[in-house]
């Protein structure tokens, strides 16, 4: 993964606080990571139960293609930052009433 600079002031301006932006990015990154893992597990689940076919080079090639497809994808954190900078991440600040209800 190549190093890419991010304008931290721009991220901080989106929420009014850099730490809130980082927390939002962290949660979104975890969501993306979970979705990618579930997707990969679903695709690899197809290959379960084919013990004898696993010896076949064509079958191994298919498994390798699936794995390589996910290795080439950008990291979930990078995807989350890009989404936030494009304005695709939804977040909201709780109102005073919401905060008071928690305590």
């Amino acid at each position: 993964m190549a190093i890419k600079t991010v304008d931290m002031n721009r991220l901080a301006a989106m929420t009014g606080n850099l730490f809130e932006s980082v927390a939002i990015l962290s949660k979104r990154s975890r969501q993306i990571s979970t979705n990618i893992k579930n997707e990969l597990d679903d695709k690899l689940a197809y290959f379960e139960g084919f013990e004898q076919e696993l010896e076949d080079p064509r079958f191994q090639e298919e498994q390798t293609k699936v794995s390589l497809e996910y290795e080439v994808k950008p990291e979930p954190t990078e995807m989350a930052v890009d989404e936030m900078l494009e304005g695709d991440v939804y977040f909201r600040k709780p109102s005073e009433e919401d905060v008071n209800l928690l305590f």
Side-chain angles (χ1 to χ4, degrees):
M1 180 171 97
I3 296 175
K4 187 167 71 172
T5 58
V6 177
D7 185 6
M8 300 305 282
N9 293 327
R10 186 172 166 206
L11 284 176
M14 296 177 131
T15 61
N17 185 330
L18 180 60
F19 297 107
E20 286 181 26
S21 297
V22 170
I24 292 167
L25 287 171
S26 171
K27 289 178 183 180
R28 180 62 185 138
S29 178
R30 273 190 246 122
Q31 289 174 342
I32 292 170
S33 178
T34 301
N35 291 342
I36 289 173
K37 176 143 176 37
N38 289 338
E39 227 177 79
L40 179 61
D41 288 345
D42 289 344
K43 286 187 178 183
L44 291 178
Y46 167 77
F47 297 104
E48 292 176 6
F50 293 106
E51 284 78 25
Q52 292 180 344
E53 287 84 357
L54 288 176
E55 305 296 325
D56 185 14
R58 288 177 284 146
F59 210 74
Q60 291 176 351
E61 187 177 313
E62 287 181 44
Q63 271 187 308
T64 304
K65 282 182 184 178
V66 170
S67 297
L68 287 176
E69 176 185 335
Y70 284 89
E71 285 182 22
V72 174
K73 284 187 175 188
E75 294 291 319
T77 306
E78 183 180 352
M79 293 169 73
V81 170
D82 290 342
E83 285 180 6
M84 188 160 188
L85 291 175
E86 292 171 7
D88 294 337
V89 176
Y90 171 78
F91 60 91
R92 66 180 181 86
K93 292 183 181 181
S95 66
E96 290 293 323
E97 292 176 8
D98 293 339
V99 173
N100 291 333
L101 289 175
L102 294 175
F103 299 104

